[in-house]
């Protein structure tokens, strides 16, 4: 729905609320008209149920409001003496319409200054859990979200098994577009393996299904910095059509809302307005070779011919920091190494079992059909790509049939226009177009593991409305289940030089705080 449609919907909800509660407002010593005034009626209701006024803010936060509405329905019933389990059950399953029964049928009296303490241990537990979920959902949605590194595309900078804190407020927190879903999970409910949100994911029904009308338009809170070139960014995969990110062969394509597309983390090597080109696997921005931060280490694929013995994965990992899996690919006992950094290569070529090391690079001008823009007129591959202009909001480019494959998805899918080609003419929203002005910024996201990364070379541009946040902190890291990487605990993601672990200072402060609290309580008890 558009913002205007949501505004009308909220006004209708206010009328429904007023009709179902105005007598209850009167019994609580308020005026009947107060039940009908948007927002104000919520503030008054908080006074009636003896709860803080700022709860009304939580009622307008997507996902959080689903929990808070149930709490308010139950609290309203209890404020008029309806405290049984049956009353609680009816308040929830009727979606708040139990208030109509209390308003027009039941003979109820307002309980002023009622006790807010749960009357049982189970009630206390339920209340604590609910508000813990609310608080965690707010932090998760608008401030900091935990994230786990699933692949080796940024190996050496971020490792498989790193646990990150991703800042939502650096670039501005994105308001959830999906309004009905389970809190603090992404697209799938763990264990149950069921979709965690309400949405019709069939492409042909995406615009007609009523449940898809519940989607909010894209909104974002102001951030305090822009995405810089070579920053590591977490975003939603723009071309995601997978039901499960671990299953690459689904029964069909699944059309997903932006905020429920698969979360990925890559390096932003191209920003709006850049001209990007890949030559022999290396990135050039505006004609100049891109210089990565010192913590970044490019990796490429190689064929390695051994002399006699097999290579020991554990030895190569410890000695040369070669971590991606490798294996034999032919009868000549040739090994395929998907990812070796330049630093590792310089040492590995002196290994006594190595006869030769051959780089694996695609041939210039040889088209890879899996590479963007997936058009036979573009003979690009993962090592030789571009040049390509990265769209910037407000900038206008000339549009013709030659460049259309590069920006077709931007014009239609990301910016919501209709597009037709009739002969040599391009029609955008039914009108002949020779140029196009972009509505938002776009970015080029790639992995440092150049031959073992599914990134922008496969799907193209990443719109800003798909950007989730900035990873800022590694709070834990495990190499498998039994091997903690202590040196990576509590380290920063960005920065120069070797990352410093703040784990020991954190433990000192934590135990110091615990000790101080115990001492203070003991002193208070003695006095």
């Amino acid at each position: 729905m558009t913002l205007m449609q949501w505004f009308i919907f909220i006004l209708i909800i206010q009328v429904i609320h007023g009709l179902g509660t105005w007598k209850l407002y009167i019994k609580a010593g308020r005026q009947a008209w107060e039940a009908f005034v948007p927002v104000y009626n919520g503030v008054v209701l908080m006074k009636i149920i003896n709860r803080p006024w700022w709860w009304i803010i939580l009622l307008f936060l997507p996902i959080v409001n689903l929990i808070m509405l149930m709490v308010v329905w139950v609290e309203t019933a209890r404020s008029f003496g309806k405290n049984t389990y049956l009353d609680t059950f009816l308040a929830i399953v009727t979606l708040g319409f139990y208030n109509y029964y209390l308003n027009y049928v039941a003979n109820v009296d307002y309980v002023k200054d009622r006790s807010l303490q749960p009357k049982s241990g189970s009630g206390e537990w339920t209340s604590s859990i609910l508000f813990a979920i609310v608080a965690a959902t707010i932090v998760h949605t608008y401030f900091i979200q935990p994230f786990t590194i699933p692949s080796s595309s940024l190996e050496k900078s971020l490792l498989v098994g790193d646990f990150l804190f991703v800042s939502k407020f650096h670039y501005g927190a994105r308001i959830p577009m999906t309004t009905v879903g389970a809190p603090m999970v992404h697209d799938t409910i763990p264990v149950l393996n069921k979709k965690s949100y309400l949405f019709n994911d069939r492409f042909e029904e995406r615009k007609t299904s009523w449940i898809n009308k519940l989607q909010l338009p894209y909104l974002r809170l102001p951030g305090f910095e822009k995405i810089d070139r070579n920053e590591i960014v977490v975003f939603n995969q723009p071309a995601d059509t997978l039901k499960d990110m671990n299953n690459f062969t689904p029964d069909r394509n699944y059309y997903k809302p932006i905020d429920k597309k698969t979360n990925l983390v890559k390096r932003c090597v191209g920003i709006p307005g850049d001209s990007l080109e890949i030559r022999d696997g290396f990135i050039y921005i505006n004609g100049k070779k891109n210089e990565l931060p010192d913590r970044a280490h490019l990796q490429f694929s190689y064929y390695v011919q051994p002399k006699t013995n097999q290579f020991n994965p554990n030895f190569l990992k410890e000695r040369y920091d070669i971590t991606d899996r490798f294996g034999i690919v032919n009868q000549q006992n040739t090994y395929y190494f998907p990812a070796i950094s330049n630093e590792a290569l310089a040492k590995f070529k002196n290994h006594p079992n190595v006869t030769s090391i051959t780089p694996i690079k695609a041939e210039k001008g040889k088209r890879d059909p899996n590479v963007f823009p997936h058009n036979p007129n573009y003979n690009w591959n993962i090592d030789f790509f571009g040049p390509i202009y990265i769209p910037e909001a407000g900038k206008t480019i000339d549009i013709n049939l030659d460049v259309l494959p590069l920006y077709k998805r931007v014009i239609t899918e990301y910016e919501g226009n209709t597009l037709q080609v009739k002969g040599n003419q391009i029609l955008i929203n039914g009108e002949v177009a020779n140029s196009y002005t972009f509505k938002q910024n776009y970015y080029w996201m790639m992995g440092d593991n150049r031959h073992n990364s599914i990134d922008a070379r496969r799907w193209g541009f990443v719109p800003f409305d798909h950007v989730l946040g900035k990873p800022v902190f590694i709070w834990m890291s495990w190499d498998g289940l039994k091997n903690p990487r202590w040196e990576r605990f509590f380290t920063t993601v960005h920065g120069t030089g070797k990352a410093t672990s703040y784990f020991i200072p954190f433990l000192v402060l934590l135990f110091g705080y615990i000790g101080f609290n115990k001492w203070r309580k003991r002193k208070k008890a003695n006095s």
Side-chain angles (χ1 to χ4, degrees):
M1 287 194 290
T2 63
L3 287 177
M4 179 56 68
Q5 289 171 331
W6 270 106
F7 178 72
I8 294 172
F9 175 75
I10 290 172
L11 288 181
I12 293 172
I13 294 298
Q14 303 304 310
V15 173
I16 293 173
H17 169 79
L19 292 175
T21 58
W22 65 273
K23 284 188 176 182
L24 299 180
Y25 275 63
I26 292 174
K27 289 184 177 182
R30 308 296 302 196
Q31 300 295 317
W33 62 266
E34 292 180 303
F36 292 90
V37 181
V39 182
Y40 176 71
N41 57 7
V43 175
V44 173
L45 182 61
M46 294 307 111
K47 293 182 179 180
I48 292 174
I49 66 177
N50 200 20
R51 292 296 185 177
W53 67 268
W54 50 262
W55 272 27
I56 192 66
I57 299 174
L58 302 182
L59 292 174
F60 287 92
L61 297 181
I63 306 299
V64 171
N65 59 3
L66 299 180
I67 301 172
M68 292 305 302
L69 281 171
M70 291 187 288
V71 171
V72 170
W73 296 334
V74 171
E75 291 284 298
T76 301
R78 290 178 178 177
S79 294
F80 291 89
K82 297 297 183 178
N83 296 303
T84 67
Y85 289 115
L86 179 60
D87 292 317
T88 299
F89 175 76
L90 291 174
I92 293 173
V93 299
T94 62
L95 302 180
F97 282 96
Y98 187 56
N99 287 337
Y100 274 74
Y101 167 74
L102 302 181
N103 196 61
Y104 293 107
V105 180
N107 185 20
V108 296
D109 294 315
Y110 177 57
V111 182
K112 189 177 182 180
D113 298 326
R114 68 184 177 92
S115 173
L116 300 180
Q117 295 299 319
K119 293 181 171 54
S120 65
S122 61
E124 186 172 350
W125 272 101
T126 301
S127 178
S128 298
I129 291 172
L130 280 176
F131 284 101
I133 292 174
V134 168
T137 301
I138 292 173
V139 172
H140 183 277
T141 304
Y142 298 98
F143 297 97
I144 295 287
Q145 177 178 334
F147 187 84
T148 307
I149 298 299
S151 71
S152 62
S153 68
L154 287 172
E155 191 75 14
K156 312 314 173 199
S157 292
L158 294 178
L159 310 182
V160 175
D162 280 350
F163 291 78
L164 310 177
F165 282 141
V166 176
S167 165
K168 299 289 189 71
F169 52 85
H170 274 73
Y171 307 138
R174 189 177 59 190
I175 306 298
M177 302 174 192
T178 304
T179 58
V180 182
M184 292 190 302
V185 295
H186 189 51
D187 58 351
T188 306
I189 300 176
V191 182
L192 298 178
N193 199 30
K194 298 293 184 181
K195 189 165 63 176
S196 65
Y197 57 98
L198 192 64
F199 190 81
N200 188 332
D201 52 28
R202 291 189 175 275
F203 181 81
E204 62 276 6
E205 299 174 15
R206 71 195 189 282
K207 294 183 179 180
T208 57
S209 176
W210 71 268
I211 60 174
N212 292 6
K213 303 296 183 184
L214 299 176
Q215 290 283 307
L216 278 172
Y218 168 69
L219 295 169
R220 196 177 210 107
L221 299 177
F224 63 86
E225 70 175 44
K226 295 181 179 179
I227 300 175
D228 291 328
R229 191 182 296 117
N230 294 324
E231 273 189 341
I232 296 174
V233 179
V234 176
F235 59 96
N236 298 110
Q237 207 268 58
D240 180 22
T241 57
L242 301 177
K243 182 179 181 181
D244 179 353
M245 67 173 290
N246 297 312
N247 179 11
F248 289 94
T249 56
D251 57 336
R252 61 177 174 86
N253 285 343
Y254 289 80
Y255 187 84
K256 301 163 77 170
I258 291 173
D259 57 341
K260 294 302 178 182
K261 292 180 179 179
T262 299
N263 291 332
L264 293 180
V265 57
K266 306 289 178 186
R267 190 180 302 280
C268 177
V269 295
I271 61 175
D274 281 347
S275 177
L276 177 141
E277 185 177 3
I278 302 175
R279 306 175 194 167
D280 199 29
F282 295 93
I283 293 172
Y284 289 77
I285 301 295
N286 303 322
K288 296 182 179 179
K289 190 173 182 179
N290 187 35
E291 296 294 334
L292 293 175
D294 59 0
R295 291 188 187 179
H297 298 274
L298 289 182
Q299 296 189 96
F300 296 97
S301 298
Y302 297 88
Y303 287 129
V304 179
Q305 191 65 47
K307 292 179 179 178
T308 53
N309 302 324
Q310 293 184 341
F311 293 111
N312 185 312
N314 292 329
F315 178 78
L316 296 189
K317 181 178 179 179
E318 294 296 327
R319 182 70 178 270
Y320 302 108
D321 196 25
I322 297 175
T323 51
D324 279 32
R325 292 183 179 181
F326 55 87
I328 298 174
V329 293
N330 58 30
Q331 294 181 349
Q332 286 72 43
N333 206 34
T334 303
Y335 278 82
Y336 168 68
F337 282 80
I340 302 178
S341 67
N342 290 337
E343 294 81 3
L345 185 66
K347 299 177 183 177
F348 186 42
K349 66 182 180 182
N350 296 320
H351 189 288
N353 191 40
V354 171
T355 297
S356 64
I357 300 179
T358 306
I360 303 174
K361 293 288 180 72
E363 181 183 342
K364 183 177 182 180
K366 186 175 181 179
R367 178 175 174 259
D368 183 344
N370 296 314
V371 165
F372 181 82
H374 316 289
N375 185 283
N377 293 328
Y378 287 84
N379 296 321
W380 295 351
N381 54 58
I382 60 173
D383 291 313
F384 291 92
F385 185 98
I388 188 171
Y389 171 75
I390 303 174
E392 182 179 2
K395 292 299 177 68
T396 301
I397 64 167
D398 293 331
I399 285 288
N400 53 52
L401 295 181
D402 292 331
V403 302
L404 184 61
L406 300 176
Y407 303 105
K408 180 179 179 181
R409 187 172 177 85
V410 168
I411 294 170
T412 57
E413 180 66 22
Y414 304 147
E415 304 203 344
N417 302 289
T418 62
L419 186 146
Q420 292 177 293
V421 176
K422 293 183 178 180
N424 292 324
Q425 287 189 327
I426 298 172
L427 282 75
I428 298 178
N429 297 325
E431 298 183 1
V432 176
N434 298 313
S435 64
Y436 183 77
T437 302
F438 298 105
K439 299 177 183 178
Q440 62 174 318
N441 286 327
Y442 292 81
Y443 302 84
W444 198 263
M445 308 291 190
M446 284 179 58
D448 298 341
N449 197 337
R450 290 294 157 81
H451 291 154
N452 198 18
S453 172
I454 300 176
D455 52 34
R457 291 169 293 180
R458 303 291 184 184
W459 63 71
F461 309 107
V462 174
F464 185 57
D465 62 13
H466 282 59
V467 171
L468 189 69
K470 178 178 180 176
V472 293
F473 203 65
I474 301 169
W475 62 276
M476 185 170 66
S477 183
W478 292 79
D479 184 9
L481 295 175
K482 299 181 180 179
N483 301 307
R485 303 186 186 102
W486 296 111
E487 74 281 0
R488 293 185 67 82
F489 278 51
F490 284 67
T491 58
T492 56
V493 173
H494 296 90
T496 58
K498 182 176 176 59
T500 302
S501 173
Y502 296 96
F503 187 52
I504 298 301
F506 167 76
L507 291 179
V508 171
L509 290 174
L510 177 63
F511 287 114
Y513 176 76
I514 293 173
F516 174 74
N517 267 353
K518 287 185 176 181
W519 172 81
R520 187 177 61 177
K521 289 180 180 179
R522 191 181 301 115
K523 183 178 180 181
K524 185 176 181 181
N526 292 335
S527 62

